[in-house]
Amino acid sequence: MGSHNHGSSYGAEFPIGVPLLAVNGKPVQNGVVDAGLKSLDHYQRALPKWRYNLRQRLLPLIRWETPYLAMLQKRMRTPALDRYFAITANLGTHTFFMIGLPVLFWCSFSSFGKGLVHILAAGVFGTGFIKDMLSLPRPLSPPLHRITMSGSAALEYGFPSTHSANAVSVTVYSILVLHSDKNTFSPSTTFALELLAYFYAFSIVFGRLYCGMHGFLDVIIGSIMGAAISYIEFYYGPPFQDWLYASDYLAPILFAITILILVRIHPEPADDCPCFDDSVSFAGVIVGLEIGTWHFARSRWNHIYNGPNALFDLSALGWPVIVIRLILGVLIIFAWREVMKPTLLKVLPHLFRVIETHGLSLPRRFFMPATEYKDVPLNLRDDEVLPKVSDIPRMMRSIRGPGRGRAVSIGPQSAADAYETLAYRERKRRESLSSEQGSGLKQVQTPAEGADGEESTADQAAHSSGVEKYERQMGQGQVVVESTGSLNPNLSAVEEPGMYLGQRDELGEREIFSKLTRPRVRYDVEVVTKLVVYAGIGWLAVDMIPILFELTGILGAGHLPFPVPSS
């Protein structure tokens, strides 16, 4: 379980024949880039000055809390808790809510469902906005061990925690509803649901600390954002909804335009972070939800599902009909995604090329314009919000598989991790050089010194205690830089070299060099594709699918003996 690989050399496991780069005139020793790497000023070059300065003010807090997080994790970890927190983290993901939320609309909890969609969309968009704006890394590994079932979670920035915002917003909103006059549950049921809500929030928020995915600052700010969003939705959401649905068609159109403007001004990140993709997906859901509910409010079935005098009675339908409704609804949503996504990816590039030739495109960083590619691969794996149908068996196997539902890794996992590892190592080196005696900091050996250096560091850590022991492990992740072609010390400031990250697989008890997975090519048409697909999902869930239920007769509620209010 330790983070050191005694008796072996990292360099020996590095892929043979990979050309290495001398950066800023400083040669790479033993295949490991040490202080002075050109990429250390990566964020200063990539971010506007005000964003970079704000990032630099917050970064010391993340570094300061890391050894305390490692100490907490070390004292608490057990295989059972590893599995529990890895699995329960899925209850705070976008996928869980995207599949579960439509059920509320089909079971006559539309008001509660709309509230949850609003707070989750605001939480995902808000945290993603701040993540990309500040580009702050997750706490360093080592000393932390990262425990996760998601392959993409570590690729995102850490501050603030989206999981925490989601969990706290759902909890606070649920408790507010339970304490409102709309609550029809008995006092004992209300108390049980309230306890369940608190336990849910604790499991998600504390689990992010336990799993080494976030720090105290991340979850605190994320939780505050989630709570604030819930209070705003609970007190100001209903009046806004009443105004929106009572207005003519211009109101939902203006609302949709506002959402699109927010998508457009979403900050450009320093690295290729998937936060923007999640924000776009939920922005699309909100647009579809509001347009769909505005349209459904004008249908002849609205009085059954919505309003203070809604007549829908779930128990009157019977469980067989309820189950069929849920299965059919979910299948329609997945079918929409499976058909619409490849269609748009095939058609939109032609339209985008025409637009770009007239100079009307608004390209985002990390997205390839249509004029630079011919076709978009149809098997594009670009979606972490709603999985493909073919991905569901794999997701289920990951929970039941030999890894017991989680993967545990030690070492940098993303570009942000790699840059932070190098930056922290450089900071420690400078502190060591500025100290007359070097004190304890001078004893930190870089991994470039091979097996002997690693053993020396491990021996020092063994004689240390508490926070100091984990501070010594910070910045020891393995980062190897590969040249992008010829050995050119004057590499362009825009062109970043390839990276290999030394990472320990705790479950497999082995240490490997894995090439830093460069984010896949992202195409400009993907943004519009996500907006259309997820707007369609929102529209289907609240408008088209309930209408379909009613049109089928037996799956609807209109045929039941409900008293229809007189006009």
Side-chain angles (χ1 to χ4, degrees):
M1 294 281 183
S3 62
H4 298 284
N5 185 23
H6 301 288
S8 65
S9 172
Y10 287 93
E13 299 184 19
F14 183 71
I16 299 175
V18 176
L20 298 178
L21 185 65
V23 184
N24 286 352
K26 297 182 180 181
V28 176
Q29 298 179 357
N30 298 336
V32 178
V33 175
D34 204 348
L37 176 66
K38 173 182 178 179
S39 299
L40 288 177
D41 64 351
H42 167 72
Y43 293 100
Q44 190 171 9
R45 291 185 286 110
L47 298 176
K49 183 177 180 181
W50 71 271
R51 286 169 57 186
Y52 174 75
N53 290 338
L54 184 57
R55 179 184 187 274
Q56 293 305 104
R57 288 180 177 274
L58 293 174
L59 188 58
L61 293 175
I62 295 175
R63 291 173 175 172
W64 170 82
E65 68 183 358
T66 298
Y68 295 96
L69 291 165
M71 189 162 53
L72 174 69
Q73 189 183 61
K74 177 68 174 178
R75 291 178 178 177
M76 291 197 62
R77 279 193 65 190
T78 66
L81 288 178
D82 281 8
R83 186 178 185 183
Y84 172 77
F85 284 118
I87 293 177
T88 54
N90 293 299
L91 302 180
T93 61
H94 320 324
T95 301
F96 171 75
F97 292 116
M98 286 298 294
I99 296 175
L101 285 174
V103 174
L104 296 175
F105 294 97
W106 306 330
C107 294
S108 193
F109 298 104
S110 57
S111 177
F112 183 63
K114 279 184 283 189
L116 290 184
V117 172
H118 291 158
I119 61 178
L120 290 169
V124 170
F125 191 92
T127 56
F129 193 99
I130 297 175
K131 281 182 178 180
D132 282 351
M133 182 177 70
L134 298 179
S135 302
L136 284 165
R138 296 178 184 272
L140 275 174
S141 172
L144 285 168
H145 297 193
R146 299 252 178 94
I147 308 167
T148 181
M149 292 179 62
S150 172
S152 65
L155 301 179
E156 295 185 6
Y157 299 120
F159 176 84
S161 168
T162 304
H163 273 78
S164 300
N166 286 348
V168 172
S169 65
V170 169
T171 297
V172 171
Y173 187 74
S174 300
I175 292 173
L176 289 172
V177 172
L178 288 173
H179 285 271
S180 70
D181 54 5
K182 298 179 181 179
N183 180 19
T184 59
F185 295 115
S186 66
S188 59
T189 302
T190 298
F191 179 71
L193 290 175
E194 190 170 347
L195 286 181
L196 181 63
Y198 282 121
F199 184 73
Y200 165 74
F202 172 80
S203 294
I204 300 298
V205 174
F206 183 76
R208 306 316 288 163
L209 301 174
Y210 177 94
C211 292
M213 300 302 294
H214 285 286
F216 300 113
L217 184 66
D218 301 340
V219 300
I220 290 173
I221 299 301
S223 298
I224 292 174
M225 291 180 63
I229 290 169
S230 293
Y231 275 100
I232 293 172
E233 170 62 26
F234 182 79
Y235 289 106
Y236 299 102
F240 174 77
Q241 296 293 305
D242 293 340
W243 168 81
L244 184 66
Y245 302 147
S247 304
D248 59 18
Y249 66 92
L250 288 178
I253 291 177
L254 290 175
F255 179 83
I257 292 175
T258 302
I259 297 297
L260 296 179
I261 292 175
L262 290 175
V263 170
R264 181 64 194 113
I265 65 174
H266 194 285
E268 298 275 11
D271 309 289
D272 197 351
C273 173
C275 301
F276 177 70
D277 301 55
D278 298 338
S279 299
V280 169
S281 299
F282 268 87
V285 170
I286 283 291
V287 170
L289 173 77
E290 299 304 337
I291 294 178
T293 49
W294 180 88
H295 178 264
F296 190 79
R298 286 155 176 75
S299 73
R300 58 191 175 99
W301 297 286
N302 182 61
H303 69 279
I304 299 176
Y305 289 89
N306 298 317
N309 300 315
L311 304 174
F312 184 90
D313 185 357
L314 191 64
S315 60
L317 283 176
W319 281 109
V321 174
I322 294 172
V323 172
I324 293 174
R325 281 166 61 100
L326 298 183
I327 293 175
L328 179 60
V330 171
L331 288 177
I332 291 174
I333 286 178
F334 274 97
W336 162 265
R337 181 189 180 280
E338 293 291 319
V339 172
M340 202 64 190
K341 177 186 168 184
T343 301
L344 291 172
L345 291 178
K346 187 174 183 178
V347 173
L348 285 178
H350 304 288
L351 176 62
F352 272 53
R353 291 188 190 101
V354 174
I355 294 174
E356 289 171 12
T357 55
H358 289 82
L360 301 177
S361 64
L362 295 172
R364 280 187 66 88
R365 188 181 182 189
F366 304 116
F367 285 83
M368 181 182 293
T371 52
E372 296 182 12
Y373 63 86
K374 182 178 181 182
D375 297 302
V376 179
L378 295 182
N379 60 345
L380 193 66
R381 302 185 66 88
D382 66 327
D383 209 329
E384 293 293 336
V385 178
L386 189 64
K388 296 173 63 176
V389 175
S390 58
D391 290 338
I392 295 178
R394 174 181 57 81
M395 294 170 61
M396 299 304 297
R397 286 195 301 269
S398 70
I399 297 177
R400 302 192 305 265
R404 292 171 292 179
R406 89 282 187 208
V408 184
S409 60
I410 307 169
Q413 293 177 276
S414 66
D417 286 346
Y419 290 131
E420 171 61 4
T421 296
L422 293 165
Y424 187 82
R425 188 183 303 165
E426 168 69 359
R427 172 176 171 253
K428 301 300 284 187
R429 185 186 71 88
R430 289 176 179 175
E431 289 178 354
S432 177
L433 293 176
S434 64
S435 174
E436 292 182 359
Q437 301 297 329
S439 13
L441 298 178
K442 188 118 179 161
Q443 299 172 10
V444 177
Q445 304 291 333
T446 64
E449 296 176 10
D452 294 338
E454 291 158 24
E455 290 177 4
S456 175
T457 304
D459 291 340
Q460 294 166 9
H463 293 293
S464 302
S465 61
V467 173
E468 182 184 357
K469 178 174 70 173
Y470 298 108
E471 284 181 342
R472 292 181 187 276
Q473 297 176 27
M474 293 174 64
Q476 291 183 10
Q478 303 303 296
V479 182
V480 177
V481 170
E482 171 192 7
S483 73
T484 56
S486 60
L487 289 175
N488 180 13
N490 299 316
L491 191 65
S492 168
V494 178
E495 185 180 9
E496 294 290 348
M499 286 187 181
Y500 282 82
L501 302 179
Q503 189 174 332
R504 184 180 181 84
D505 179 357
E506 185 187 75
L507 295 181
E509 287 297 324
R510 61 194 178 92
E511 195 148 26
I512 60 174
F513 267 104
S514 57
K515 182 162 186 181
L516 172 62
T517 303
R518 286 188 178 277
R520 62 170 182 80
V521 176
R522 303 166 78 187
Y523 304 91
D524 52 1
V525 297
E526 291 183 45
V527 176
V528 174
T529 298
K530 282 182 180 292
L531 284 172
V532 173
V533 169
Y534 281 94
I537 290 175
W539 192 328
L540 286 169
V542 301
D543 187 21
M544 302 307 295
I545 291 178
I547 290 177
L548 178 64
F549 290 157
E550 297 304 321
L551 292 177
T552 60
I554 190 173
L555 294 180
H559 69 285
L560 298 175
F562 297 140
V564 179
S566 58
S567 57

